[in-house]
Amino acid sequence: MKRANHTEVREFVFQGFSNFQEHQLTLFVVFLSLYILTLTGNAIIVTIIRIDHHLHTPMYFFLSILSTSETFYSLVIIPRMLSSLVGLSQSISLEGCGTQLFFFLGFAITNCLLLAVMGYDRYVAICNPLRYSVVMNWRVCGMLASSVCGSSGPELATLHVHIMYNLMKKENHTSVSEFMFQGFSSFHEHQLTLFVVFLPLYILTLAGNVTIVTIISLDRHLHTPMYFFLSMLSASETVYTLVIIPKMLLNLIGLSQLISLVGCATQMFFFITLAINNCFLLTAMGYDRYMAICNPLRYSVIMNKRVCIQLVCGACSIGLIVAMTQVSAVFSLPFCALRVPHFFCDIRPMMKLSCIDTTANEILTLIISVLVILVPMSLVFISYILIISTILKIASAEGRKKAFATCASHITVVIVHYGCASIAYFKPKSENTRDEDQLISVTYTIITPLLNPVVYTLRNKEVKEALYRVIGRKLS
């Protein structure tokens, strides 16, 4: 353990262009002129694109967003820089500095990602001109713009500001290099029983998910978007359980109760990445069912192979971004305790070990939880409202039954998955007890991954038929 003293400051002074003292007035005139041109130019671009209907295309839509972002980006920095050049407002408070850093990073990252999106738009327009209007429709453009402006930039900016503020705290903190899982110590006399119960469930989960991935890859009848997403979900669930369950099982029999700081951060990173990946894969599956039932004639065009791969890559990317944000925020905290009140490195149990107030982390976790749990869950349920309204319009009872059958397995998994996640991360902190948290965690780390193969094999006629075909080919 190491102990160190840190010094807190409440205000900063900009040195600015102090090396060019005799030229500061000249710099002020030059920069002010450029700044006025920047504001005027971006305002003209946004206004023209908005007024002229000939420019209501994806390319100019993204350009107007970029110009708006660039305008705010410059507003965050240039006015204060100009006032510093004429000897005004050279100091800035700690809060003001944090606010400026947040908006600077947020808009800078947003601009970078918008340029990448504009590059993709030009790629589709030139390399796939006949399909451009289908691929880059307004819904896709809106999703791209909202994901860039509403999540990626602000999340990464929040992460950086949070880390910087933690570096400036004035307190004596004790750093630790390893942690000890308390696990199921409250059920000490039943730990062997829990091991005997959890081990077969884990083996069934691995066997079931591996079976699903194998069947889908071998049987060409299942080479459809729905089963492509299912195979990705099963693969993700398999790795997700590998991150947590083996160490939990060893803890139950008294082995490997310690985990290093790096090991804990790694476990949390993969847990968050794969958990969020699963949330968005379920959302993609809901969108797939919506297109299949509500737009069957355009289904094969819209849900083509490239779109499916893009949706999977998008789900993985969101998981990675959020995991980096959360892990960096949690492990930038100083820890004063060693005993983790859980059986793996989850976010809230780790924050309880911190020496300082974790309100900022709690708010960040709540915001991220809303974005990655409530938003996807809402999209899935909106899809199913539209699906059910379409199904009820089908004339034949057999047609309605078949349509419902294609959705039953997915909606079952969705309700359990999002239900457990919502209880775990939206339950008031004051109501949480360690045993309750662990029971909820057991549900979404053991039961939910097992539910996926059980529901999709026992309740899905196509998967069962594919399984019989694969077994038949192997035996013949």
Side-chain angles (χ1 to χ4, degrees), residues 7 15 31-32 76-77 129 140 149 160 180 196 216 250 275 308 310 346 378 381 391 402 414 436 452 456 459:
T7 304
Q15 287 186 319
F31 291 156
L32 178 61
V76 171
I77 302 167
V140 171
C149 300
H160 279 83
M180 178 181 290
V196 172
I216 292 172
L250 291 173
C308 293
Q310 288 173 352
D346 201 355
S378 300
F381 285 123
I391 290 174
K402 186 178 179 180
V414 163
E436 287 175 348
N452 182 42
Y456 277 103
R459 291 181 55 86

Side-chain angles (χ1 to χ4, degrees), residues 394-452:
I394 298 174
S396 68
E398 185 63 27
R400 289 195 297 272
K401 183 179 178 182
K402 186 178 179 180
F404 273 119
T406 64
C407 303
S409 300
H410 177 252
I411 195 63
T412 303
V413 174
V414 163
I415 290 170
V416 175
H417 183 94
Y418 284 117
C420 293
S422 299
I423 293 170
Y425 291 98
F426 293 113
K427 187 179 180 182
K429 187 178 178 181
S430 59
E431 293 183 12
N432 282 8
T433 66
R434 199 184 82 185
D435 292 342
E436 287 175 348
D437 284 342
Q438 290 185 336
L439 289 173
I440 294 167
S441 299
V442 164
T443 305
Y444 65 74
T445 55
I446 298 179
I447 306 302
T448 304
L450 176 62
L451 183 69
N452 182 42

Side-chain angles (χ1 to χ4, degrees), residues 137-321:
N137 58 65
W138 284 112
R139 186 177 64 253
V140 171
C141 293
M143 288 169 58
L144 288 170
S146 60
S147 63
V148 168
C149 300
S151 58
S152 303
E155 281 180 7
L156 292 173
T158 302
L159 166 63
H160 279 83
V161 173
H162 182 80
I163 291 172
M164 293 299 294
Y165 264 65
N166 278 328
L167 290 174
M168 292 187 284
K169 296 287 183 182
K170 179 191 174 182
E171 289 176 28
N172 286 329
H173 304 311
T174 304
S175 62
V176 297
S177 58
E178 64 181 12
F179 301 98
M180 178 181 290
F181 291 122
Q182 287 185 315
F184 296 91
S185 54
S186 300
F187 306 94
H188 184 71
E189 65 278 12
H190 303 297
Q191 288 198 5
L192 186 59
T193 305
L194 291 173
F195 176 83
V196 172
V197 172
F198 291 157
L199 180 60
L201 291 176
Y202 179 52
I203 293 171
L204 285 173
T205 301
L206 290 180
N209 281 309
V210 170
T211 300
I212 284 180
V213 174
T214 304
I215 291 170
I216 292 172
S217 63
L218 292 178
D219 195 299
R220 61 182 180 82
H221 296 91
L222 300 183
H223 291 177
T224 63
M226 173 180 160
Y227 292 107
F228 169 71
F229 291 129
L230 176 58
S231 66
M232 292 295 104
L233 180 64
S234 294
S236 181
E237 292 277 20
T238 301
V239 182
Y240 172 78
T241 56
L242 282 169
V243 171
I244 300 169
I245 310 303
K247 192 157 193 69
M248 183 198 75
L249 292 172
L250 291 173
N251 290 343
L252 283 171
I253 55 175
L255 301 174
S256 186
Q257 291 181 317
L258 295 176
I259 187 169
S260 67
L261 181 69
V262 175
C264 189
T266 303
Q267 186 185 57
M268 183 184 290
F269 174 80
F270 282 106
F271 159 68
I272 295 172
T273 300
L274 295 165
I276 293 172
N277 182 45
N278 295 345
C279 285
F280 282 94
L281 282 174
L282 287 169
T283 307
M285 293 171 75
Y287 176 67
D288 171 77
R289 290 300 82 206
Y290 161 74
M291 293 305 305
I293 293 172
C294 299
N295 293 281
L297 298 179
R298 300 179 63 223
Y299 176 71
S300 60
V301 175
I302 295 174
M303 296 303 294
N304 57 65
K305 187 175 180 179
R306 188 178 68 256
V307 170
C308 293
I309 293 172
Q310 288 173 352
L311 287 171
V312 170
C313 291
C316 294
S317 299
I318 294 170
L320 288 169
I321 291 170

Side-chain angles (χ1 to χ4, degrees), residues 58 62 120-121 124 131-138 140-141 144:
F62 291 126
Y120 174 70
D121 171 77
V124 177
R131 303 182 64 241
Y132 177 71
S133 60
V134 175
V135 176
M136 296 302 294
N137 58 65
W138 284 112
V140 171
C141 293
L144 288 170

Side-chain angles (χ1 to χ4, degrees), residues 362-382:
E362 293 283 351
I363 294 171
L364 176 63
T365 301
L366 179 62
I367 292 170
I368 289 175
S369 299
V370 170
L371 292 174
V372 303
I373 297 175
L374 287 188
V375 172
M377 181 172 65
S378 300
L379 292 174
V380 172
F381 285 123
I382 289 169

